[in-house]
Amino acid sequence: EVQLQASGGGLVQAGGSLRLSCAASGFSFDDYAIAWFRQAPGKEREGVVCISSSDGSTNYADSVKGRFTISNDNAKNTAVLQMNSLKPEDTAVYYCAAAYGPCTDYPLVNSYEYDYWGQGTQVTVSS
């Protein structure tokens, strides 16, 4: 059974940091792109970042470049999103997702192309 378990959300003040984890099971993690998406109330789902598990290459949305960092622990089948310098506009439910192949095959705007999804974790940044 394929599972993506997202965790690590919470409430933080603007300028603070949070660390999200996405634990994967049931598929060959090394062959997949792992991405984080977010959705704020009343807004469309937005792609945040993708990492290719095969070579560690990444693709960040402009809105988070320089503040967010994604990494993979392939031995633990876990992707970690370190979020620094958080802003109130980062408030959203964050989802991790997986798709077969490298991130270059899956633009962040095409969330529908991702095969597997986690359950989401709430991130709230207060001003």
Side-chain angles (χ1 to χ4, degrees):
E1 179 187 5
V2 171
Q3 284 192 332
L4 290 173
Q5 185 73 32
S7 61
L11 172 64
V12 65
Q13 289 188 333
S17 299
L18 281 174
R19 185 180 175 95
L20 305 184
S21 293
C22 177
S25 62
F27 62 93
S28 181
F29 187 82
D30 293 356
D31 294 331
Y32 277 70
I34 306 297
W36 287 93
F37 293 83
R38 65 187 182 185
Q39 189 164 20
K43 293 189 177 182
E44 293 187 354
R45 187 170 294 182
E46 175 191 14
V48 175
V49 61
C50 180
I51 184 168
S52 300
S53 299
S54 58
D55 63 4
S57 58
T58 57
N59 179 31
Y60 290 87
D62 288 343
S63 58
V64 305
K65 281 181 181 177
R67 301 188 298 121
F68 291 12
T69 303
I70 191 170
S71 60
N72 267 359
D73 184 338
N74 285 24
K76 296 182 179 179
N77 287 359
T78 299
V80 175
L81 181 63
Q82 179 66 42
M83 305 187 296
N84 298 329
S85 302
L86 282 161
K87 304 175 181 180
E89 51 263 45
D90 294 318
T91 295
V93 177
Y94 282 70
Y95 301 89
C96 60
Y100 183 80
C103 292
T104 48
D105 289 351
Y106 303 101
L108 288 172
V109 296
N110 295 348
S111 62
Y112 59 88
E113 293 186 315
Y114 284 76
D115 301 310
Y116 308 125
W117 289 82
Q119 83 287 7
T121 185
Q122 176 71 47
V123 171
T124 303
V125 184
S126 63
S127 56

